[in-house]
Structures are given as structure tokens and as C-alpha cells.
Amino acid sequence: MQNKNLRLRPMFSALTCSIATATLYAQAPAPAAPAAPPSAAPAAPPSTAPAAPSPVVPAAAPPATPAEAPAPAETKAEPASRTNRVERVDVTGRNTETDERRNSSAAKIIITRQDIEQYGDSSLGDMMRRLPGVTSGGRPGRPGAPQMRGMGGGFTQILIDGQRVPPGFSIEQLSPEQVERIEILRAPTAETGARAVAGTINIILREPLRQTNNDFRVAAASERGKVVPDISLTRNDSFGQNGTYNATLTYRTRHQLNDTDGRVTYFDTATGQTTLDEATQARNEDRGENVFGNARVQWRLGNGELFAIQALGGHNTSDNQGVTTLTEFIGPGAPYAKSAFKFDGNFDFARLNANLNKRLNETTRYEVRLGFGRFWSDTALAINQFDTTNALLRRQTTDGDVRDKGWSFAGKVTHNTKSDPSHAISAGWDIEGLKRQENSVTLLNGVPQLAELGTQFDISTQRYAFYIQDEWDPAPNWSANLGLRYEQIETKSTTAGDEFKNTSRVLSPLGHLVWRFASPRRDQIRLSLTQSYRSPSTQQLTARPNLNLSYPVPGGNLFTAPDRAGNPNLKPERANGIDLAYEHYLKSGGVLSANLFGRDIKDLIRNVTALESVSWANDPRYVSRPQNFSKARTYGLELDAKFRLNELFDDLGNLGRLSVKMNASIYNSKVAGVPGPDNRIDSQPRFTGNFGLDYRFPNSPLSVGGNISWTPSYELQQTETLRQTLSTKRVIDTYAVWNFNSATRLRLSVSNISPLDSNTTNVNFDGAIRQTTLSSARTDVNYALRLEMRL
């Protein structure tokens, strides 16, 4: 006899079972990798030109209400990334994030502020790994660059309030309390940009409020006994009848210990002999301080009109030092027995942004955005290598500085037809320029390296984008979004009088269609047909080499320790895409969805290591360069669910308050130029999944929750000769929040419970010599205690 309390139709029961089954599959133990001896590849010292801190640092927000169920988003000014249409909204008294997701003409997932702040993460990068279809690079428990659909290498577009961020920006520099919400767009639109083969993550920052608030947050985090503070102070107020402002000052520190073991072996298949066997043990201690200041002033000029100015700046320091020991068991003689490095860096930035939104008449409005920014960095790296008697063999020093100047000018005009306010036609532009000057001097035992290339390196980039987009409802229960975007990027680099140029031009048609079931059902089907692309990065285009001085010039080096150089002849990777999604909306804001996607990519870029005769050495050296390698195809199934149990079942009592968030993604890809099996796109696993529970105890100030994210071990055939194996990545997070009153709460977070080390194996076999590199990086539990107060 069927249970009367079950209120899901069979179709949605099947969807729920599919997600649960995938999650259970994700929790099954992965095949154990063979026990690897300590890794060997010499630990690489930090880059002499670290990524520039982002000039986008928003104001912090007041503490969020602890989550127990999907909650409505706060009303705020329309961000640039949102649809221009006058959306239909169900009459429930407020427009929730579920309503916004359902009414959007292009598929997007809304992550609310309470979800963002829930686990008390110190940076936005930490919480990204729990989002549907998003993984992060780096070792488990440490934030890394977010990747959608498991595709690394810049296939994911990151936006701040609908605008592209400057080069060198890292979301780890943002704290969760500075963000209002996050939008995940699985397919690109003309307005948000076509440089989103895997998808787009749009971070919506908080705006000033018309109320007086003084918010104070202080936190202490600990990993391996290293305690670091984190302090944030925000002032929010209004002036006059139409003015608001906020100002934020944030101070953070970093203190991390990193241990990595490695091993390199060369095996001659013809003789059956091992010709090289080296092991390394590396430890480094990384310290840093970050100070960010931000002020935003905003004037409401009328209905839907505003003018805003934002000024911000920051100062960051880095002090990283470590020691690597090298033991050679078999070989011609180790290049060193111990290597010690020390890196010091100072990074400063300043930026001024202005934004104007105005109406021309009842049906037409325009927006103009202007920004200017500067970035400075000064770095010093010293590496000393010693023999077994601790006598100095060689000393390498690299001193460098970077000076950036950037500007941006963007805008759009939107017209809503009088006969149908939901019909919006918009046209816009986005122009930006960047000039960078790098000065770098490298000495090896006092002798300049790459002297023939000079010490100054200049780079300039100009980007022009123009688009038109039409959003309308062609019939009852139907919505459409059609757009066309043209983008051109010009990159120039100059060193020692030699100039390299690269220009890419892409025209991208994009279309989205939504069909909504007839009332009272709130389900819908989405279809997207798009063309997207990924342009080569500046680093990939610049030909100036970066030497691996573990094996110094003018001699040779190893395949496992290549020099690195760019390729100014790279073309952009282009992709034709399709997305087909089914979404089922529950009665109180919950949602279940399934999405199928596919991308056909041509001119895929991949780093290829080859032995070259080079100008900077007498002997041939191995050099890793990016190349337009081949074409590829990727496809997959993405499932996500967010609901409370009482949306599915009756008579559960307090258990019905339990909030469930889970997602599972299954991926596959084929690179045509690489023999199978496992000839997939770089960094793409076969499966990723998250399962989370949140609960607020009734009549109690206590809320608790936990999440497990899991990516099983997988193998990649990267080139015809190179194969990579990556270990299982599993991160377990928990939190507890105690609300003393409406203005004060205490949050305890524990991240990366039961940590797993990150193990990577690379095997290169050219038919004669099998070269194996093993690397094992330690991970640890992180504890954090945060006090959040509104004064």
C-alpha cells in the first residue's frame, strides 16, 4: 500500500534516488593506489612573480542569519549580471533565490549569503568546493582556483558583479562575509561573456544599506598548531535623503607548514636496469599578512537610478622559506644534497571604480562603468644548494619588480517594449587595457642568467567586446534569450628589442530556451545552444623562458625538471555547446534538477615537453610549451538538490526541519590527439559529489551542520607518452553556531576532518626509458573559532 505521506511523483522520486545513488557511489572506497615511496622531484621554489592580488576588495557584511532552510535573498540594486527582463514573480510576498533561478531565461544556480557564510570559511575559495559542479585545485583542505565541470586551465569564467576581474585576481582574497550571493551559470550569455567553456561563477558583492551598522568579526584559525588571527570591521550608514556608504578594514595573517615527499626513477626497458633513482623531502614555512581597505559611496538618483564610487586598496606581504633534501640511490651524481630557499615579497594595489545607472525614458535605460587600477610588487628569491658536506655548491638569486596600470570602460543600453515589459533588448560594450612592466635579474654564482634577453619585459593587452541580446516570452510558458557577442584581444610583449604579437577574434552566437509546465506544476525544461571560447593567457603567450635551475645552464636538464616558455602563436580554444536541464521546484523553495551537457572543443591547448636546442644553453634542454594540441569532446550529467525533509514527507516532527544539500556530477571527455584509454581533458575527474546536512534545534540558539565532498582517484593520459594518476580527494567539514542574541553569535568550524594526503604519479614512457615521478603532499585538519558582532 502506497504511503499517503509521500508527496513526490514517481518521476521525482527517481531523480532523488539517482542523486542518492550517485552520492553513495561517491562514498565507496576508491581502488587503493600502490604504496609510493617518498617523492623525488626537487620541490620547486615559489614563482619569482606571484600573481597580483586582486584590486577588487568589497565591503564586509553584517552577520548572516543562521541557515535552516532556503531563505530569500535581500533586496538590492540590480547587478550587471542579472537579466534585463521584467521577470514574472509568483505572488508569495517576496522574491526568493528560488524564484530568481526559476524565472531566469538562462540557467543559473543561486547560492545565498547564509549558505556562503555557513561554515565560517576564512576565504571564498574554501567554500567553493561545496558548490554544485565546482571543484578546486590544490591539495585537500586548501583553497585553490575553482573549476566547473572538472575542467582546469581557465575554462571557468570568474566575474565580480557581472564584470571580468583583472589578471592575477584570486578569489581566495575575498572573505565570505563580503559577498551577497554567488550565481553559477552553466552556459554563457552575450551579456556575461563567451569566455566560459565550462561555465561562469558570478560573485555578487554587498552594497551599502540605508541603516547604521557597525559590524565586527574576529576569528582565530589553527592548522598544525599555527594560530592565525582574522579581523574585520565594517561601517555602514546613510547621509542625506538618497546617500549611503560603507567602509571596511580587514586584517588577515597566514602561517602554513607544507611537507612534500617525492621520488624520481628512470628505468631502461632494453637492459632491465634502473638508471636513476632519487628521493626528496621538502618542507617550507609560509607566512604572510594582508590588509585590505574599501569604501563605497552610493547615491540614489531616482527609481532604478544610481551613481556609485568605490575606492579600495591593499598591502600584502609574503615570507616563505624552506629546505629540500635530495638523496640519490642510483645515478650519475646528484646535483645537490640540500637546497634551501627564501622568498620575500611585497604587493600593493589601488583601484577607483565609478558606476552610473540612468533612465532615458519609461522604457529605456543605460549603464556606464569606468575603472582605473595600479599594482606594484617587489620580490626577492634566494636559493642555496649544498653538497653532502654542507659546502655551498651554487647560489641563485632573483630580484624582480612588477608595475601594472589598468583601465576599463563598459556600458549597455536596455529597452523594454511597452506592449510587453518582459521583452528586453540590450546592447553593450566592454573595453579594457592593461600595461605591465617587469624587471627581473637572475644571478647564478654571481653570473647573470638569460643576459641576452635583457632584464626588462613589457606586456600590453587590449580587449574589445560588443554584444546585443534579446530576451522575451514568445508564448505562454515559454522564455527565450538570444544573443551575439564579438570579442577581440590583442597582446604584445617586448623583451631585448624583440616584439611578439597575438590577436584573437571570436564571434559567438548564444541561445537559451525555457518551457514551463502549466500551473499548478512549477517544473520546467531548459535548452541552451552556445558557442564559447578560452583565450590564451598572457603567460602562455610570452616566449621568455623560465629556467629550472635545479639543473642549471649551460648544461642539460631532465624531462621531469623542464624549463618553461610560452608560445606567441597560440590560437583560442573554441567550443560548441549544448545544455539540457529538467528542474522540479518544491513547495517551500526546495529544488531538484538534472542537467546534461556537451562541449566540442577545437584547438585545445596543452603543455608539451620536448627536448630542444635553445639559445640559453650549450646543451639541448627539455622545455615545456603550450601548444594547440588537438580537438576534444566532453559531456556529462549533473544532479543537484536542495530541500528540507518536510517538503517531501509529512509527520516528521522536528526532523522535518533538517535541510539537505547534495550534488553529484559524472564527467567524461576524449582528446582526439591522444590515444586512449583515459585521454581526457586535463584535471577532469570522472566523478565529483557533495552531501551536506544542516539543522537548527527548535527553541535553541544552536545550529549545526556538516558536508562531505568527494572526488575518487582517476588517471589521465595527457600525451602519447605521459600518463598521470591522482589520488582520492575527500574533505569533511562541520560547523556549529551559537546565537547569543540577534546581534552576537559564535561559530566553530572544523575543516578537512580525517585528512587524506594528496598523491600524484606521472609516468612518461617513450618506448625506451620509463620515467616515473611520485609526489605526496601532506594535508591537515583546520580549526577556526569566529565571533560575529553587530555593535
Side-chain angles (χ1 to χ4, degrees), residues 113 381 576 715:
R113 184 163 66 94
L381 171 67
N576 294 326
E715 297 185 3

Side-chain angles (χ1 to χ4, degrees), residues 67 93 101 108 115 117 120 173 218 246 260 364 388 390 416 443 450 519 569 591 618 636 663 686 763-764:
R101 173 176 178 171
K108 63 181 175 182
D115 292 331
E117 294 189 331
Q173 297 162 11
V218 59
N246 59 18
T260 305
T364 306
T388 54
N390 212 34
N416 293 84
L443 303 178
L450 301 178
S519 181
N569 298 316
V591 61
N618 297 331
N663 57 79
R686 291 197 177 276
V763 178
N764 184 73

Side-chain angles (χ1 to χ4, degrees), residues 664-734:
S665 302
I666 302 170
Y667 306 122
N668 201 4
S669 57
K670 301 291 183 183
V671 178
V674 177
D678 303 317
N679 53 332
R680 299 198 305 282
I681 291 175
D682 271 348
S683 304
Q684 187 179 59
R686 291 197 177 276
F687 178 88
T688 64
N690 282 275
F691 182 80
L693 299 173
D694 305 292
Y695 186 75
R696 182 172 183 177
F697 291 92
N699 303 316
S700 171
L702 179 64
S703 299
V704 297
N707 183 87
I708 178 171
S709 60
W710 193 79
T711 301
S713 63
Y714 59 98
E715 297 185 3
L716 290 171
Q717 188 72 35
Q718 294 188 312
T719 67
E720 185 176 354
T721 63
L722 181 61
R723 188 173 183 83
Q724 184 180 69
T725 302
L726 294 98
S727 63
T728 296
K729 193 171 184 177
R730 182 204 65 212
V731 180
I732 302 173
D733 301 329
T734 62

Side-chain angles (χ1 to χ4, degrees), residues 65-74 94-99 101 110-115 118 522 585-592 641-647 656-662 694-695:
T65 302
E68 70 172 85
E74 289 187 3
R94 53 190 178 184
N95 187 16
T96 68
E97 74 277 0
T98 303
D99 294 327
R101 173 176 178 171
I110 309 296
I111 310 300
T112 65
R113 184 163 66 94
Q114 65 181 30
D115 292 331
Q118 203 163 48
R522 305 182 70 236
Y585 292 87
L586 302 176
K587 63 173 185 176
S588 299
V591 61
L592 309 175
K642 179 180 179 181
F643 57 87
R644 286 194 304 184
L645 288 185
N646 58 16
E647 293 186 87
R657 300 165 59 92
L658 186 67
S659 178
V660 179
K661 303 184 190 77
M662 56 185 179
D694 305 292
Y695 186 75

Side-chain angles (χ1 to χ4, degrees), residues 200-457:
T200 298
I201 298 175
N202 186 22
I203 301 169
I204 306 297
L205 307 180
R206 302 206 67 195
E207 292 185 348
L209 304 175
R210 289 200 61 83
Q211 61 188 64
T212 301
N213 290 326
N214 292 296
D215 296 308
F216 176 71
R217 296 168 185 259
V218 59
S222 174
E223 182 181 287
R224 297 178 67 175
K226 303 301 182 182
V227 179
V228 294
D230 187 332
I231 302 172
S232 177
L233 179 63
T234 298
R235 168 72 175 180
N236 193 99
D237 205 348
S238 61
F239 59 93
Q241 294 184 347
N242 299 311
T244 57
Y245 73 91
N246 59 18
T248 298
L249 184 64
T250 301
Y251 172 76
R252 292 185 193 169
T253 62
R254 181 183 69 257
H255 192 178
Q256 297 174 336
L257 298 178
N258 302 299
D259 294 324
T260 305
D261 294 336
R263 190 149 191 161
V264 174
T265 58
Y266 281 21
F267 181 76
D268 190 330
T269 56
T271 64
Q273 300 293 318
T274 297
T275 59
L276 178 69
D277 187 357
E278 295 179 343
T280 58
Q281 290 183 318
R283 165 177 278 201
N284 75 287
E285 186 171 9
D286 185 15
R287 297 172 180 263
E289 293 184 343
N290 305 315
V291 179
F292 294 110
N294 173 59
R296 181 185 178 103
V297 183
Q298 185 169 286
W299 291 267
R300 299 287 176 178
L301 306 179
N303 183 23
E305 299 182 337
L306 66 84
F307 176 68
I309 296 178
Q310 184 184 44
L312 47 100
H315 173 69
N316 311 313
T317 65
S318 179
D319 177 5
N320 192 355
Q321 52 188 319
V323 175
T324 298
T325 59
L326 172 62
T327 303
E328 183 178 81
F329 304 105
I330 300 173
Y336 63 89
K338 183 178 74 172
S339 177
F341 80 87
K342 180 173 174 56
F343 172 82
D344 293 295
N346 289 281
F347 312 91
D348 300 276
F349 73 88
R351 188 167 179 88
L352 182 67
N353 297 319
N355 184 43
L356 175 65
N357 285 273
K358 287 283 290 181
R359 289 185 179 273
L360 292 175
N361 51 50
E362 293 182 358
T363 60
T364 306
R365 64 186 185 273
Y366 68 89
E367 177 183 2
V368 178
R369 301 187 302 269
L370 189 63
F372 300 92
R374 295 288 303 270
F375 167 72
W376 309 262
S377 74
D378 296 280
T379 59
L381 171 67
I383 301 175
N384 296 313
Q385 295 180 341
F386 306 88
D387 62 15
T388 54
T389 66
N390 212 34
L392 181 65
L393 293 173
R394 63 185 65 89
R395 174 177 172 81
Q396 175 211 333
T397 60
T398 301
D399 296 318
D401 63 74
V402 175
R403 301 293 184 264
D404 274 358
K405 298 178 181 179
W407 59 270
S408 62
F409 177 50
K412 68 175 180 179
V413 178
T414 302
H415 175 72
N416 293 84
T417 62
K418 287 185 177 181
S419 58
D420 181 8
S422 67
H423 187 182
I425 301 174
S426 60
W429 70 94
D430 191 354
I431 305 173
E432 67 178 12
L434 175 70
K435 289 186 176 181
R436 165 174 288 197
Q437 183 182 91
E438 296 184 13
N439 292 282
S440 179
V441 177
T442 298
L443 303 178
L444 182 61
N445 295 331
V447 179
Q449 303 296 294
L450 301 178
E452 69 278 9
L453 298 181
T455 61
Q456 182 172 312
F457 183 41

